[in-house]
Amino acid sequence: MAEAFIYDAVRTPRGKGKKDGALHEVPALKLLTTTFKAIRERNNLDTSYVEDSIIGCVTQVAEQGSDIAKTAAIAAGYSNNTAGVSLNRYCGSGLEAINQASAYIMSGLTDLIVAGGVESMSRVAMGSDGFALFSDPNMVMNYNIVPQGISADLIATKYGFTRDQLDAYAVESHRRAAKAWEEGRFKRSIIPVKDINGITILDRDETVRGDSSIQKLATLKPAFEMMGAMAGFDSVAIQSYPEVETLLHPHHAGNSSGIVDGASLVLIGSKSIGKKLNMKPRAKIRSFAIVGAEPTIMLTAPAPASLKALKKAKMKVSDIDLFEVNEAFAVVPMRFMQELDVPADKVNVNGGAIAMGHPLGATGAMLIGTLVDELERTGKQTGLATLCIGGGMGIATIIERV
C-alpha cells in the first residue's frame, strides 16, 4: 500500500459566528477560496496535478450548497483538472475529508488532493438544512434521540463530572489558546481573511478570552436544563440510561464549543508527487478509523475510534505524543482522558474549540494542521486527532512527523 503525506496545512482565523462577528460579511466560498489560494501560492503549486478537492461542510444549503468544493476550486483559479466533492459527517466532516483523501492516495489511484472543510455559521444557520435525526418525532421516540447538549450532560452525570471540573477545563482551554497566540504558535498556518481591497478583516481567532475564570463562568445559566425538562429530553435520556436517576445540567455556553466561521485546507499526496513537484512532506498519515456508537449518549466515541486507529497502526496510547480532541463540550475530552488514561498535558496543548470555536465542517482539518505545527515546534513525533460526531459516531487519525 502506498503512503499518504501531508505537504501543507492552512486555515483561516475563526470568527464569531454571529452577525457582529468579524467574518459575517464573508461568504463561505470566500473563506474556502482563501485557503485554496494559500495552498497554491505557498507551494508554488501547479494545480493541474491536484486531482480532487474533498471538502467537509455540515450545513450544505444556500451559499454553502451545491458542491462548494468544486466551486472553490474554480473560484481560486485551480486547473480544470481539479474535481471536487462536498461531504457531511457532521462534526467529523473535515477529518473525514482528510481520511478519504488519504485513502485515495494510499490506494495508488490518486497522487495529489486538497482536503479540508468550511462552515459559515453566522451566515448559514446550523440546522437550516433540516435535521431528520433530531427533529423527526419518530426518530426521537423510537430511538431515544436527544440533542447533543443533553447527551453531553448525560455523560457528565453518568461519569461524575461536576460543573466546577468542566468550568476549570474551559478556563484552561482559553488560557492555553491565549498563550499559543501570544507565542505565535499558529503563525505558520493562519491565513488572514482580507476584503476586496486587500485590507485584513481578521487575522486571529476572535473568541479567545485569556482572562476567563471559574468565577465568571459561574454566572452562566445551564444551557440545556430547560430543554431537558420542558421538551422531555431528560426523560428520553434516562429511558436509555435508567441508572441515571436525575440528569444534571452542568454544561453552558462557557464550557461548550463556540459557534464560529472558518475554513481549513490540507495538501495530501504521494511520495512520488512530492519529488516531482519538489515539495517536502511535513507528516505522514499512519492510520485512521471511524466507529459507530449508541445514539442517545452519542458523544463517547472518540476513545473507541482512537483505539481502532491505534490498533491499525500497531501502536499503543502511550506511543502518541500529542492529542487533539475536539472540545464540542468540556466533558468530551475529559471523558476521553479518563477512559484512555491520557495525561492532560498531552491533550489540546494550544487550547481547543471551547476557546477558539468549532466551525463544524472545518474543525477536523484544523486539528490536523494544529498537530503538524505543534509536532514540528516541539520536535515530537506522533499525533492523534479525534472528534465526537452527532448520531453516535467517532473519528480518529494518527499522523507522524517526517
Side-chain angles (χ1 to χ4, degrees):
M1 186 170 62
E3 294 179 312
F5 293 90
I6 295 172
Y7 287 97
D8 203 5
V10 300
R11 72 172 177 93
T12 67
R14 286 173 264 200
K16 184 168 61 173
K18 296 182 179 180
K19 290 184 178 180
D20 61 346
L23 297 180
H24 175 62
E25 66 184 87
V26 185
L29 178 59
K30 169 68 173 176
L31 293 175
L32 188 56
T33 302
T34 296
T35 63
F36 270 69
K37 290 179 177 178
I39 285 286
R40 181 188 62 209
E41 293 163 6
R42 284 160 56 110
N43 297 280
N44 193 26
L45 185 62
D46 180 347
T47 59
S48 66
Y49 290 98
V50 180
E51 297 169 71
D52 203 359
S53 56
I54 305 176
I55 299 299
C57 182
V58 174
T59 311
Q60 295 187 40
V61 294
E63 299 170 353
Q64 294 181 165
S66 192
D67 194 357
I68 198 169
K70 178 59 177 176
T71 308
I74 295 170
Y78 273 48
S79 166
N80 291 336
N81 295 340
T82 304
V85 62
S86 301
L87 61 85
N88 178 10
R89 198 188 284 279
Y90 296 145
C91 298
S93 298
L95 195 54
E96 175 66 23
I98 288 173
N99 292 351
Q100 286 194 22
S102 299
Y104 274 114
I105 304 300
M106 291 173 171
S107 74
L109 297 176
T110 308
D111 280 310
L112 192 62
I113 298 175
V114 289
V118 66
E119 208 80 37
S120 176
M121 301 181 77
S122 70
R123 296 174 66 92
V124 184
M126 181 169 53
S128 57
D129 56 338
F131 260 110
L133 178 64
F134 300 109
S135 61
D136 186 329
N138 290 321
M139 290 298 299
V140 173
M141 291 187 295
N142 294 336
Y143 303 101
N144 291 350
I145 305 298
V146 297
Q148 288 190 12
I150 299 294
S151 297
D153 286 345
L154 174 60
I155 297 168
T157 304
K158 179 175 172 61
Y159 294 104
F161 294 100
T162 67
R163 172 161 173 162
D164 284 347
Q165 289 174 317
L166 301 178
D167 286 356
Y169 181 93
V171 169
E172 180 65 7
S173 179
H174 281 281
R175 188 196 69 79
R176 291 183 180 189
K179 182 179 180 181
W181 271 106
E182 289 169 7
E183 297 183 355
R185 297 186 188 182
F186 301 127
K187 186 176 181 180
R188 178 167 184 174
S189 296
I190 290 290
I191 307 301
V193 178
K194 299 181 179 181
D195 66 14
I196 194 171
N197 298 312
I199 298 173
T200 296
I201 298 172
L202 187 67
D203 61 3
R204 64 182 294 136
D205 296 320
E206 192 174 16
T207 60
V208 179
R209 300 185 300 278
D211 62 348
S212 180
S213 68
I214 292 178
Q215 291 73 25
K216 290 179 180 178
L217 295 186
T219 64
L220 299 177
K221 295 181 179 179
F224 310 105
E225 185 173 35
M226 185 175 296
M227 175 192 298
M230 296 187 67
F233 287 118
D234 282 4
S235 298
V236 174
I238 292 171
Q239 186 174 336
S240 288
Y241 293 87
E243 68 272 24
V244 178
E245 296 181 0
T246 302
L247 196 64
L248 304 177
H249 292 283
H251 285 95
H252 51 78
N255 59 27
S256 306
S257 57
I259 293 173
V260 293
D261 305 331
S264 55
L265 202 65
V266 178
L267 182 63
I268 303 173
S270 63
K271 180 178 289 186
S272 61
I273 198 68
K275 291 180 178 179
K276 185 171 185 175
L277 299 181
N278 195 30
M279 299 188 303
K280 183 179 178 181
R282 299 176 62 189
K284 178 173 66 175
I285 303 291
R286 285 291 302 270
S287 72
F288 45 85
I290 187 77
V291 300
E294 195 281 310
T296 304
I297 206 162
M298 195 183 308
L299 309 175
T300 56
S306 298
L307 291 174
K308 185 176 180 180
L310 287 164
K311 183 177 181 179
K312 289 179 178 293
K314 298 180 180 179
M315 300 173 72
K316 305 185 297 293
V317 172
S318 58
D319 293 327
I320 301 298
D321 296 317
L322 295 171
F323 295 83
E324 285 289 326
V325 184
N326 188 40
E327 296 173 354
F329 301 90
V331 79
V332 174
M334 294 185 74
R335 173 58 183 160
F336 177 88
M337 289 186 285
Q338 182 188 65
E339 193 168 356
L340 297 190
D341 193 24
V342 177
D345 61 4
K346 281 189 173 186
V347 178
N348 300 348
V349 297
N350 292 320
I354 290 173
M356 294 177 283
H358 176 22
L360 305 179
T363 304
M366 289 182 172
L367 298 187
I368 288 293
T370 298
L371 270 181
V372 173
D373 285 347
E374 189 63 12
L375 290 173
E376 290 177 342
R377 187 187 74 84
T378 59
K380 294 179 179 179
Q381 201 67 29
T382 57
L384 184 152
T386 183
L387 300 91
C388 60
I389 305 174
M393 292 182 281
I395 191 169
T397 303
I398 298 173
I399 66 171
E400 179 180 359
R401 182 175 62 87
V402 297

